[in-house]
Amino acid sequence: MKAIVYDRFGPPEVLEPRALPDPGPAPGHARVAVHAAAVNPKDVLLRKGKLRWLARAPFPRVPGYDVAGVLLDDAEGIAAGTPVYGMIQAHSGGACAQVASVPFDELAPVPAGLSMVEAASLPLVGLTALQALRDELGVEPGQRVLLNGASGGVGTVAVQIAKALGAEVIAVCSARNAPLVRDLGADVVLDYQRDDLKQTTGLDHVFDIYGTLPYDRARRLLGSKGRYCTAIPSPPAILRGLLRRAGVHPAALVVVRSRRKDLAQLSEWVERGALRPVVDRVLPLEEASAAHAYLETRRARGKVVLEVTPPN
Ligand SMILES: NC(=O)c1ccc[n+]([C@@H]2O[C@H](COP(=O)([O-])OP(=O)(O)OC[C@H]3O[C@@H](n4cnc5c(N)ncnc54)[C@H](OP(=O)(O)O)[C@@H]3O)[C@@H](O)[C@H]2O)c1
């Protein structure tokens, strides 16, 4: 099969297409004929060698966590031949290939109405937003939620999920992306270059997606029972996240987990029109290095997705 590989840490140019053996059958895993794989900041960090202590897979490595394709094996309740999507939890990745091996529980049928590209764009960011807003923050109908970084991969989905949970959404993005974010359902849109966030107070929740609103700044915007979550695992955020789990600090850190039942929730929202993927760019698998370079600009609106030509 054809895959994207890298043999050393480095810039986007270390990524190159190469022929590799197909992954064999593995217990608890199903093979997927990949049609599309999305690119995430996690791919960029791993490629640069930033998370070496977490990801210890040997070289050559195949990047990619978000996958959509057709099941080649039965996967515990999903029959071979079904179009599926999901997020590979293991740091070893493997979605940027014609065939990927994925644990059963990390796959769900593609929701009706989504293309393979759209389906691949959703799992990692959708699960992150869902688990932050529902599980870490406990967003309830009528509450006011501020989302910092509302126009990127996680943000475009978080706006819609917060609305689906019944919240009032205050979205922070640049002026150029305000129309997109408003169209996704945000009630108020603030420009991070012009608006003073300090004027927004008494919030029930702040979700810092982009990383420029750490807890010490955000807490001034929160009401007395307000809750905070960040997506950025900085050392203080990791410490606070641990204290939060021990029940002694209100600030959470979301650490995305791949779960079929959470994918089913995303699918349900997609099928009833409450959630739609936002895809910025689609490139062929062979142009993975260009996709990484674009994502690294931190200017993507929604997702960057690689389209994979299945083997003959
Ligand atoms: N902890 C977890 O489990 C987890 C899971 C997923 C992601 N993450 C992390 O979450 C972060 C966001 O991920 P992502 O996929 O959404 O990234 P992304 O798609 O690369 O985000 C790009 C967006 O960020 C916006 N942006 C740039 N500068 C900004 C600023 N100063 N303030 C607010 N927005 C700004 C850009 O909009 P403009 O061009 O308009 O500025 C662009 O739309 C990443 O650091 C990622 O590693 C963590």
Side-chain angles (χ1 to χ4, degrees), residues 128 151 153-154 174 176-177 192 209-210 231 254 256 298-300:
T128 303
S151 57
V154 177
S174 70
R176 81 181 178 116
N177 286 323
Y192 64 75
I209 299 163
Y210 188 75
V254 65
V256 64
R298 305 309 308 269
R299 295 272 90 86

Side-chain angles (χ1 to χ4, degrees), residues 40-42 45 124-125 128 148-155 172-174 176-177 192 209-210 212 231-233 253-256 295 298-303:
N40 287 284
K42 177 176 179 177
L45 291 172
L124 191 149
V125 294
T128 303
N148 181 47
S151 57
V154 177
V172 182
C173 64
S174 70
R176 81 181 178 116
N177 286 323
Y192 64 75
I209 299 163
Y210 188 75
T212 44
I232 311 301
L253 165 68
V254 65
V255 179
V256 64
L295 196 73
R298 305 309 308 269
R299 295 272 90 86
R301 300 173 198 222
K303 295 298 300 172

Side-chain angles (χ1 to χ4, degrees), residues 29 42-43 46 54-57 62-66 87-95 101-103 106 124 256-258:
H29 287 57
K42 177 176 179 177
D43 288 292
L46 288 173
L54 260 184
R56 294 161 187 262
V62 179
Y65 300 90
D66 275 326
M87 179 193 115
I88 299 171
Q89 181 76 46
H91 294 299
S92 45
S101 175
V102 187
E106 297 177 5
L124 191 149
V256 64
R257 304 294 308 173
S258 190

